[in-house]
PDB file of all heavy atoms in Angstrom:
ATOM      1  N   ALA A   1      50.883  -4.483 -18.463  1.00  0.00           N
ATOM      2  CA  ALA A   1      50.940  -5.818 -17.857  1.00  0.00           C
ATOM      3  C   ALA A   1      51.366  -5.744 -16.390  1.00  0.00           C
ATOM      4  O   ALA A   1      50.811  -6.436 -15.532  1.00  0.00           O
ATOM      5  CB  ALA A   1      51.906  -6.701 -18.644  1.00  0.00           C
ATOM      6  N   LEU A   2      52.363  -4.898 -16.096  1.00  0.00           N
ATOM      7  CA  LEU A   2      52.782  -4.729 -14.696  1.00  0.00           C
ATOM      8  C   LEU A   2      51.650  -4.131 -13.863  1.00  0.00           C
ATOM      9  O   LEU A   2      51.453  -4.511 -12.703  1.00  0.00           O
ATOM     10  CB  LEU A   2      54.014  -3.821 -14.632  1.00  0.00           C
ATOM     11  CG  LEU A   2      55.318  -4.433 -15.159  1.00  0.00           C
ATOM     12  CD1 LEU A   2      56.430  -3.391 -15.146  1.00  0.00           C
ATOM     13  CD2 LEU A   2      55.717  -5.649 -14.331  1.00  0.00           C
ATOM     14  N   SER A   3      50.917  -3.210 -14.463  1.00  0.00           N
ATOM     15  CA  SER A   3      49.761  -2.653 -13.776  1.00  0.00           C
ATOM     16  C   SER A   3      48.736  -3.749 -13.475  1.00  0.00           C
ATOM     17  O   SER A   3      48.151  -3.795 -12.381  1.00  0.00           O
ATOM     18  CB  SER A   3      49.120  -1.558 -14.631  1.00  0.00           C
ATOM     19  OG  SER A   3      47.921  -1.096 -14.053  1.00  0.00           O
ATOM     20  N   GLY A   4      48.518  -4.648 -14.430  1.00  0.00           N
ATOM     21  CA  GLY A   4      47.590  -5.758 -14.217  1.00  0.00           C
ATOM     22  C   GLY A   4      48.018  -6.666 -13.080  1.00  0.00           C
ATOM     23  O   GLY A   4      47.186  -7.124 -12.288  1.00  0.00           O
ATOM     24  N   LEU A   5      49.322  -6.933 -12.977  1.00  0.00           N
ATOM     25  CA  LEU A   5      49.810  -7.749 -11.864  1.00  0.00           C
ATOM     26  C   LEU A   5      49.542  -7.064 -10.527  1.00  0.00           C
ATOM     27  O   LEU A   5      49.201  -7.715  -9.532  1.00  0.00           O
ATOM     28  CB  LEU A   5      51.308  -8.014 -12.036  1.00  0.00           C
ATOM     29  CG  LEU A   5      51.704  -8.923 -13.208  1.00  0.00           C
ATOM     30  CD1 LEU A   5      53.221  -9.019 -13.309  1.00  0.00           C
ATOM     31  CD2 LEU A   5      51.094 -10.309 -13.044  1.00  0.00           C
ATOM     32  N   GLY A   6      49.710  -5.730 -10.513  1.00  0.00           N
ATOM     33  CA  GLY A   6      49.421  -4.993  -9.289  1.00  0.00           C
ATOM     34  C   GLY A   6      47.954  -5.080  -8.901  1.00  0.00           C
ATOM     35  O   GLY A   6      47.613  -5.305  -7.727  1.00  0.00           O
ATOM     36  N   PHE A   7      47.082  -4.911  -9.887  1.00  0.00           N
ATOM     37  CA  PHE A   7      45.653  -5.014  -9.604  1.00  0.00           C
ATOM     38  C   PHE A   7      45.262  -6.451  -9.227  1.00  0.00           C
ATOM     39  O   PHE A   7      44.322  -6.665  -8.452  1.00  0.00           O
ATOM     40  CB  PHE A   7      44.839  -4.548 -10.807  1.00  0.00           C
ATOM     41  CG  PHE A   7      44.784  -3.048 -10.941  1.00  0.00           C
ATOM     42  CD1 PHE A   7      45.192  -2.429 -12.115  1.00  0.00           C
ATOM     43  CD2 PHE A   7      44.317  -2.255  -9.910  1.00  0.00           C
ATOM     44  CE1 PHE A   7      45.147  -1.048 -12.240  1.00  0.00           C
ATOM     45  CE2 PHE A   7      44.255  -0.877 -10.026  1.00  0.00           C
ATOM     46  CZ  PHE A   7      44.673  -0.260 -11.196  1.00  0.00           C
ATOM     47  N   ALA A   8      45.968  -7.447  -9.770  1.00  0.00           N
ATOM     48  CA  ALA A   8      45.701  -8.836  -9.405  1.00  0.00           C
ATOM     49  C   ALA A   8      46.037  -9.081  -7.937  1.00  0.00           C
ATOM     50  O   ALA A   8      45.283  -9.744  -7.210  1.00  0.00           O
ATOM     51  CB  ALA A   8      46.503  -9.778 -10.296  1.00  0.00           C
ATOM     52  N   CYS A   9      47.171  -8.541  -7.498  1.00  0.00           N
ATOM     53  CA  CYS A   9      47.535  -8.669  -6.080  1.00  0.00           C
ATOM     54  C   CYS A   9      46.510  -7.960  -5.199  1.00  0.00           C
ATOM     55  O   CYS A   9      46.159  -8.467  -4.116  1.00  0.00           O
ATOM     56  CB  CYS A   9      48.925  -8.080  -5.849  1.00  0.00           C
ATOM     57  SG  CYS A   9      50.271  -9.009  -6.618  1.00  0.00           S
ATOM     58  N   ALA A  10      46.040  -6.810  -5.638  1.00  0.00           N
ATOM     59  CA  ALA A  10      45.001  -6.099  -4.882  1.00  0.00           C
ATOM     60  C   ALA A  10      43.725  -6.934  -4.804  1.00  0.00           C
ATOM     61  O   ALA A  10      43.046  -6.963  -3.765  1.00  0.00           O
ATOM     62  CB  ALA A  10      44.723  -4.739  -5.526  1.00  0.00           C
ATOM     63  N   ALA A  11      43.385  -7.623  -5.901  1.00  0.00           N
ATOM     64  CA  ALA A  11      42.187  -8.465  -5.904  1.00  0.00           C
ATOM     65  C   ALA A  11      42.335  -9.652  -4.961  1.00  0.00           C
ATOM     66  O   ALA A  11      41.383 -10.026  -4.255  1.00  0.00           O
ATOM     67  CB  ALA A  11      41.915  -8.966  -7.326  1.00  0.00           C
ATOM     68  N   VAL A  12      43.531 -10.247  -4.923  1.00  0.00           N
ATOM     69  CA  VAL A  12      43.773 -11.375  -4.018  1.00  0.00           C
ATOM     70  C   VAL A  12      43.622 -10.929  -2.571  1.00  0.00           C
ATOM     71  O   VAL A  12      43.048 -11.642  -1.738  1.00  0.00           O
ATOM     72  CB  VAL A  12      45.172 -11.959  -4.267  1.00  0.00           C
ATOM     73  CG1 VAL A  12      45.547 -12.963  -3.182  1.00  0.00           C
ATOM     74  CG2 VAL A  12      45.227 -12.628  -5.642  1.00  0.00           C
ATOM     75  N   ALA A  13      44.134  -9.738  -2.252  1.00  0.00           N
ATOM     76  CA  ALA A  13      43.994  -9.231  -0.882  1.00  0.00           C
ATOM     77  C   ALA A  13      42.555  -8.833  -0.575  1.00  0.00           C
ATOM     78  O   ALA A  13      42.095  -8.957   0.566  1.00  0.00           O
ATOM     79  CB  ALA A  13      44.927  -8.039  -0.681  1.00  0.00           C
ATOM     80  N   ALA A  14      41.827  -8.355  -1.589  1.00  0.00           N
ATOM     81  CA  ALA A  14      40.461  -7.868  -1.365  1.00  0.00           C
ATOM     82  C   ALA A  14      39.463  -9.000  -1.152  1.00  0.00           C
ATOM     83  O   ALA A  14      38.445  -8.795  -0.481  1.00  0.00           O
ATOM     84  CB  ALA A  14      40.023  -7.012  -2.555  1.00  0.00           C
ATOM     85  N   ARG A  15      39.711 -10.163  -1.718  1.00  0.00           N
ATOM     86  CA  ARG A  15      38.751 -11.283  -1.595  1.00  0.00           C
ATOM     87  C   ARG A  15      38.536 -11.693  -0.134  1.00  0.00           C
ATOM     88  O   ARG A  15      37.404 -11.690   0.345  1.00  0.00           O
ATOM     89  CB  ARG A  15      39.249 -12.460  -2.440  1.00  0.00           C
ATOM     90  CG  ARG A  15      38.446 -13.741  -2.282  1.00  0.00           C
ATOM     91  CD  ARG A  15      37.312 -13.807  -3.266  1.00  0.00           C
ATOM     92  NE  ARG A  15      36.830 -15.159  -3.462  1.00  0.00           N
ATOM     93  CZ  ARG A  15      35.719 -15.668  -2.923  1.00  0.00           C
ATOM     94  NH1 ARG A  15      34.969 -14.918  -2.125  1.00  0.00           N
ATOM     95  NH2 ARG A  15      35.351 -16.905  -3.188  1.00  0.00           N
ATOM     96  N   PRO A  16      39.586 -12.015   0.644  1.00  0.00           N
ATOM     97  CA  PRO A  16      39.339 -12.313   2.070  1.00  0.00           C
ATOM     98  C   PRO A  16      38.985 -11.071   2.873  1.00  0.00           C
ATOM     99  O   PRO A  16      38.272 -11.168   3.877  1.00  0.00           O
ATOM    100  CB  PRO A  16      40.666 -12.930   2.536  1.00  0.00           C
ATOM    101  CG  PRO A  16      41.683 -12.452   1.564  1.00  0.00           C
ATOM    102  CD  PRO A  16      40.985 -12.289   0.259  1.00  0.00           C
ATOM    103  N   LEU A  17      39.484  -9.893   2.454  1.00  0.00           N
ATOM    104  CA  LEU A  17      39.147  -8.656   3.167  1.00  0.00           C
ATOM    105  C   LEU A  17      37.650  -8.391   3.119  1.00  0.00           C
ATOM    106  O   LEU A  17      37.067  -7.907   4.097  1.00  0.00           O
ATOM    107  CB  LEU A  17      39.914  -7.484   2.551  1.00  0.00           C
ATOM    108  CG  LEU A  17      39.620  -6.099   3.121  1.00  0.00           C
ATOM    109  CD1 LEU A  17      40.078  -6.009   4.579  1.00  0.00           C
ATOM    110  CD2 LEU A  17      40.306  -5.019   2.282  1.00  0.00           C
ATOM    111  N   ALA A  18      37.022  -8.705   1.984  1.00  0.00           N
ATOM    112  CA  ALA A  18      35.586  -8.462   1.841  1.00  0.00           C
ATOM    113  C   ALA A  18      34.751  -9.326   2.778  1.00  0.00           C
ATOM    114  O   ALA A  18      33.571  -9.034   3.003  1.00  0.00           O
ATOM    115  CB  ALA A  18      35.160  -8.715   0.393  1.00  0.00           C
ATOM    116  N   SER A  19      35.353 -10.371   3.338  1.00  0.00           N
ATOM    117  CA  SER A  19      34.620 -11.253   4.252  1.00  0.00           C
ATOM    118  C   SER A  19      34.729 -10.813   5.710  1.00  0.00           C
ATOM    119  O   SER A  19      34.356 -11.574   6.615  1.00  0.00           O
ATOM    120  CB  SER A  19      35.138 -12.691   4.111  1.00  0.00           C
ATOM    121  OG  SER A  19      34.944 -13.170   2.788  1.00  0.00           O
ATOM    122  N   SER A  20      35.247  -9.618   5.945  1.00  0.00           N
ATOM    123  CA  SER A  20      35.360  -9.110   7.312  1.00  0.00           C
ATOM    124  C   SER A  20      33.973  -9.011   7.951  1.00  0.00           C
ATOM    125  O   SER A  20      32.990  -8.649   7.288  1.00  0.00           O
ATOM    126  CB  SER A  20      36.037  -7.730   7.316  1.00  0.00           C
ATOM    127  OG  SER A  20      37.331  -7.802   6.755  1.00  0.00           O
ATOM    128  N   HIS A  21      33.912  -9.291   9.249  1.00  0.00           N
ATOM    129  CA  HIS A  21      32.630  -9.340   9.956  1.00  0.00           C
ATOM    130  C   HIS A  21      32.262  -8.026  10.637  1.00  0.00           C
ATOM    131  O   HIS A  21      31.143  -7.882  11.141  1.00  0.00           O
ATOM    132  CB  HIS A  21      32.650 -10.468  10.989  1.00  0.00           C
ATOM    133  CG  HIS A  21      32.872 -11.826  10.392  1.00  0.00           C
ATOM    134  ND1 HIS A  21      31.928 -12.458   9.600  1.00  0.00           N
ATOM    135  CD2 HIS A  21      33.943 -12.659  10.446  1.00  0.00           C
ATOM    136  CE1 HIS A  21      32.400 -13.639   9.208  1.00  0.00           C
ATOM    137  NE2 HIS A  21      33.615 -13.783   9.707  1.00  0.00           N
ATOM    138  N   SER A  22      33.199  -7.074  10.684  1.00  0.00           N
ATOM    139  CA  SER A  22      32.918  -5.789  11.322  1.00  0.00           C
ATOM    140  C   SER A  22      33.773  -4.706  10.694  1.00  0.00           C
ATOM    141  O   SER A  22      34.777  -4.990  10.022  1.00  0.00           O
ATOM    142  CB  SER A  22      33.188  -5.856  12.833  1.00  0.00           C
ATOM    143  OG  SER A  22      34.568  -6.080  13.072  1.00  0.00           O
ATOM    144  N   ILE A  23      33.386  -3.456  10.923  1.00  0.00           N
ATOM    145  CA  ILE A  23      34.155  -2.322  10.415  1.00  0.00           C
ATOM    146  C   ILE A  23      35.550  -2.302  11.032  1.00  0.00           C
ATOM    147  O   ILE A  23      36.546  -2.025  10.358  1.00  0.00           O
ATOM    148  CB  ILE A  23      33.421  -1.000  10.698  1.00  0.00           C
ATOM    149  CG1 ILE A  23      32.080  -0.963   9.945  1.00  0.00           C
ATOM    150  CG2 ILE A  23      34.292   0.191  10.281  1.00  0.00           C
ATOM    151  CD1 ILE A  23      32.222  -0.990   8.448  1.00  0.00           C
ATOM    152  N   PHE A  24      35.635  -2.594  12.332  1.00  0.00           N
ATOM    153  CA  PHE A  24      36.938  -2.597  13.003  1.00  0.00           C
ATOM    154  C   PHE A  24      37.859  -3.649  12.391  1.00  0.00           C
ATOM    155  O   PHE A  24      39.047  -3.388  12.160  1.00  0.00           O
ATOM    156  CB  PHE A  24      36.757  -2.869  14.499  1.00  0.00           C
ATOM    157  CG  PHE A  24      38.061  -2.970  15.241  1.00  0.00           C
ATOM    158  CD1 PHE A  24      38.777  -1.824  15.579  1.00  0.00           C
ATOM    159  CD2 PHE A  24      38.584  -4.216  15.598  1.00  0.00           C
ATOM    160  CE1 PHE A  24      39.990  -1.921  16.257  1.00  0.00           C
ATOM    161  CE2 PHE A  24      39.788  -4.311  16.279  1.00  0.00           C
ATOM    162  CZ  PHE A  24      40.482  -3.158  16.604  1.00  0.00           C
ATOM    163  N   GLU A  25      37.335  -4.832  12.152  1.00  0.00           N
ATOM    164  CA  GLU A  25      38.151  -5.882  11.525  1.00  0.00           C
ATOM    165  C   GLU A  25      38.587  -5.474  10.130  1.00  0.00           C
ATOM    166  O   GLU A  25      39.720  -5.760   9.716  1.00  0.00           O
ATOM    167  CB  GLU A  25      37.344  -7.182  11.466  1.00  0.00           C
ATOM    168  CG  GLU A  25      38.108  -8.351  10.862  1.00  0.00           C
ATOM    169  CD  GLU A  25      37.279  -9.611  10.781  1.00  0.00           C
ATOM    170  OE1 GLU A  25      36.147  -9.616  11.322  1.00  0.00           O
ATOM    171  OE2 GLU A  25      37.733 -10.591  10.155  1.00  0.00           O
ATOM    172  N   PHE A  26      37.705  -4.778   9.404  1.00  0.00           N
ATOM    173  CA  PHE A  26      38.028  -4.328   8.044  1.00  0.00           C
ATOM    174  C   PHE A  26      39.150  -3.288   8.071  1.00  0.00           C
ATOM    175  O   PHE A  26      40.110  -3.373   7.305  1.00  0.00           O
ATOM    176  CB  PHE A  26      36.770  -3.753   7.397  1.00  0.00           C
ATOM    177  CG  PHE A  26      36.951  -3.282   5.985  1.00  0.00           C
ATOM    178  CD1 PHE A  26      36.831  -4.167   4.925  1.00  0.00           C
ATOM    179  CD2 PHE A  26      37.235  -1.951   5.713  1.00  0.00           C
ATOM    180  CE1 PHE A  26      36.999  -3.741   3.613  1.00  0.00           C
ATOM    181  CE2 PHE A  26      37.406  -1.512   4.406  1.00  0.00           C
ATOM    182  CZ  PHE A  26      37.282  -2.412   3.366  1.00  0.00           C
ATOM    183  N   VAL A  27      39.024  -2.279   8.959  1.00  0.00           N
ATOM    184  CA  VAL A  27      39.995  -1.174   8.991  1.00  0.00           C
ATOM    185  C   VAL A  27      41.335  -1.625   9.559  1.00  0.00           C
ATOM    186  O   VAL A  27      42.393  -1.152   9.130  1.00  0.00           O
ATOM    187  CB  VAL A  27      39.415   0.004   9.807  1.00  0.00           C
ATOM    188  CG1 VAL A  27      40.448   1.109   9.974  1.00  0.00           C
ATOM    189  CG2 VAL A  27      38.167   0.550   9.137  1.00  0.00           C
ATOM    190  N   SER A  28      41.323  -2.527  10.527  1.00  0.00           N
ATOM    191  CA  SER A  28      42.566  -2.953  11.183  1.00  0.00           C
ATOM    192  C   SER A  28      43.309  -4.045  10.421  1.00  0.00           C
ATOM    193  O   SER A  28      44.453  -4.368  10.755  1.00  0.00           O
ATOM    194  CB  SER A  28      42.259  -3.449  12.599  1.00  0.00           C
ATOM    195  OG  SER A  28      41.382  -4.571  12.559  1.00  0.00           O
ATOM    196  N   SER A  29      42.701  -4.590   9.394  1.00  0.00           N
ATOM    197  CA  SER A  29      43.346  -5.674   8.648  1.00  0.00           C
ATOM    198  C   SER A  29      44.486  -5.132   7.783  1.00  0.00           C
ATOM    199  O   SER A  29      44.319  -4.132   7.071  1.00  0.00           O
ATOM    200  CB  SER A  29      42.320  -6.386   7.762  1.00  0.00           C
ATOM    201  OG  SER A  29      42.961  -7.345   6.942  1.00  0.00           O
ATOM    202  N   PRO A  30      45.662  -5.767   7.819  1.00  0.00           N
ATOM    203  CA  PRO A  30      46.760  -5.336   6.921  1.00  0.00           C
ATOM    204  C   PRO A  30      46.417  -5.534   5.446  1.00  0.00           C
ATOM    205  O   PRO A  30      47.031  -4.906   4.588  1.00  0.00           O
ATOM    206  CB  PRO A  30      47.929  -6.228   7.356  1.00  0.00           C
ATOM    207  CG  PRO A  30      47.307  -7.392   8.041  1.00  0.00           C
ATOM    208  CD  PRO A  30      46.069  -6.888   8.685  1.00  0.00           C
ATOM    209  N   LEU A  31      45.445  -6.382   5.160  1.00  0.00           N
ATOM    210  CA  LEU A  31      45.051  -6.587   3.770  1.00  0.00           C
ATOM    211  C   LEU A  31      44.499  -5.302   3.149  1.00  0.00           C
ATOM    212  O   LEU A  31      44.680  -5.060   1.956  1.00  0.00           O
ATOM    213  CB  LEU A  31      43.997  -7.703   3.688  1.00  0.00           C
ATOM    214  CG  LEU A  31      44.473  -9.111   4.035  1.00  0.00           C
ATOM    215  CD1 LEU A  31      43.294 -10.079   4.024  1.00  0.00           C
ATOM    216  CD2 LEU A  31      45.550  -9.569   3.059  1.00  0.00           C
TER     217      LEU A  31
END
């Protein structure tokens, strides 16, 4: 269950990260 919470947080960060418009924006994002 704790592992699932960790993966859930990763998914929340990945959703807006996937909308990055460039490689530089993707790599430089703290997400």
Side-chain angles (χ1 to χ4, degrees):
L2 289 175
S3 174
L5 292 176
F7 283 124
C9 292
V12 170
R15 173 90 160 102
L17 177 66
S19 299
S20 300
H21 300 291
S22 65
I23 296 297
F24 177 78
E25 181 182 353
F26 181 86
V27 174
S28 61
S29 174
L31 292 175

